[in-house]
Coordinates of all heavy atoms in Angstrom, one line a residue:
V172 N -147.1 161.8 -66.7 CA -148.3 162.5 -67.0 C -148.3 163.9 -66.4 O -148.5 164.9 -67.1 CB -149.6 161.8 -66.5 CG1 -150.8 162.6 -66.7 CG2 -149.7 160.5 -67.3
E173 N -147.9 164.0 -65.1 CA -147.9 165.3 -64.5 C -146.9 166.3 -65.1 O -147.1 167.5 -65.3 CB -147.5 165.2 -63.0 CG -147.6 166.4 -62.2 CD -149.0 167.0 -62.2 OE1 -150.0 166.3 -62.3 OE2 -149.1 168.3 -62.1
Y174 N -145.8 165.7 -65.6 CA -144.7 166.6 -66.2 C -145.2 167.0 -67.6 O -145.1 168.2 -68.0 CB -143.4 165.8 -66.3 CG -142.3 166.5 -67.0 CD1 -141.6 167.5 -66.4 CD2 -142.0 166.3 -68.4 CE1 -140.6 168.2 -67.0 CE2 -141.0 167.0 -69.0 CZ -140.3 168.0 -68.3 OH -139.3 168.7 -69.0
L175 N -145.7 166.1 -68.4 CA -146.0 166.4 -69.8 C -147.2 167.2 -70.0 O -147.4 167.9 -71.0 CB -146.1 165.1 -70.6 CG -144.8 164.3 -70.8 CD1 -145.0 163.0 -71.6 CD2 -143.7 165.2 -71.5
R176 N -148.2 167.1 -69.1 CA -149.5 167.8 -69.3 C -149.3 169.3 -69.3 O -150.2 170.0 -69.8 CB -150.5 167.3 -68.3 CG -150.2 167.6 -66.9 CD -151.1 166.8 -66.0 NE -152.5 167.0 -66.1 CZ -153.1 168.0 -65.4 NH1 -152.5 168.7 -64.5 NH2 -154.4 168.2 -65.6
D177 N -148.2 169.8 -68.7 CA -148.0 171.3 -68.7 C -147.1 171.5 -70.0 O -145.9 171.3 -70.0 CB -147.2 171.7 -67.5 CG -147.0 173.3 -67.5 OD1 -147.3 173.9 -68.5 OD2 -146.5 173.8 -66.4
F178 N -147.8 172.0 -71.1 CA -147.1 172.1 -72.4 C -146.0 173.1 -72.4 O -145.2 173.1 -73.3 CB -148.2 172.4 -73.4 CG -147.7 172.0 -74.8 CD1 -147.6 170.6 -75.1 CD2 -147.5 172.9 -75.8 CE1 -147.2 170.2 -76.4 CE2 -147.1 172.5 -77.1 CZ -147.0 171.2 -77.4
S179 N -146.0 174.0 -71.4 CA -144.9 175.0 -71.4 C -143.6 174.4 -71.2 O -142.5 174.9 -71.5 CB -145.2 176.1 -70.3 OG -145.1 175.4 -69.0
R180 N -143.6 173.1 -70.7 CA -142.3 172.4 -70.5 C -141.7 171.9 -71.8 O -140.6 171.3 -71.8 CB -142.5 171.2 -69.5 CG -142.9 171.7 -68.1 CD -142.8 170.6 -67.1 NE -143.0 171.0 -65.7 CZ -144.1 170.7 -65.0 NH1 -145.0 170.0 -65.5 NH2 -144.2 171.2 -63.8
T181 N -142.4 172.1 -72.9 CA -141.8 171.7 -74.2 C -140.5 172.4 -74.4 O -139.6 172.0 -75.2 CB -142.7 172.0 -75.4 OG1 -143.1 173.4 -75.3 CG2 -143.9 171.1 -75.3
E182 N -140.3 173.6 -73.8 CA -139.0 174.3 -73.9 C -137.9 173.4 -73.4 O -136.7 173.6 -73.8 CB -139.0 175.6 -73.0 CG -140.0 176.6 -73.6 CD -140.0 177.9 -72.8 OE1 -139.1 178.0 -71.9 OE2 -140.8 178.8 -73.0
Q183 N -138.2 172.4 -72.5 CA -137.1 171.6 -71.9 C -136.9 170.3 -72.7 O -135.8 169.8 -72.6 CB -137.6 171.2 -70.4 CG -137.8 172.4 -69.5 CD -138.4 172.0 -68.2 OE1 -138.3 170.8 -67.8 NE2 -139.0 172.9 -67.5
W184 N -137.9 169.8 -73.5 CA -137.7 168.6 -74.1 C -138.0 168.6 -75.6 O -137.6 167.6 -76.3 CB -138.6 167.5 -73.5 CG -140.1 167.8 -73.5 CD1 -140.8 168.3 -72.4 CD2 -141.1 167.5 -74.5 NE1 -142.2 168.4 -72.8 CE2 -142.3 167.9 -74.0 CE3 -141.0 166.9 -75.8 CZ2 -143.5 167.8 -74.8 CZ3 -142.1 166.8 -76.5 CH2 -143.4 167.2 -76.1
D185 N -138.6 169.6 -76.2 CA -138.8 169.7 -77.6 C -137.7 170.5 -78.3 O -137.6 171.7 -78.1 CB -140.1 170.3 -77.9 CG -140.4 170.4 -79.4 OD1 -139.7 169.8 -80.2 OD2 -141.4 171.0 -79.8
P186 N -136.8 169.9 -79.0 CA -135.7 170.6 -79.6 C -136.1 171.7 -80.5 O -135.3 172.7 -80.7 CB -134.9 169.5 -80.4 CG -135.3 168.2 -79.8 CD -136.7 168.4 -79.4
G187 N -137.3 171.7 -81.1 CA -137.7 172.7 -82.0 C -138.3 173.9 -81.4 O -138.5 175.0 -82.0
T188 N -138.7 173.8 -80.1 CA -139.4 174.9 -79.4 C -138.4 175.9 -78.9 O -137.4 175.6 -78.3 CB -140.2 174.3 -78.2 OG1 -141.2 173.5 -78.6 CG2 -140.8 175.5 -77.3

Side-chain angles (χ1 to χ4, degrees):
V172 170
E173 185 60 30
Y174 177 80
L175 292 179
R176 64 197 297 271
D177 184 352
F178 204 66
S179 63
R180 294 193 176 109
T181 54
E182 294 182 7
Q183 303 172 17
W184 58 263
D185 180 11
T188 294

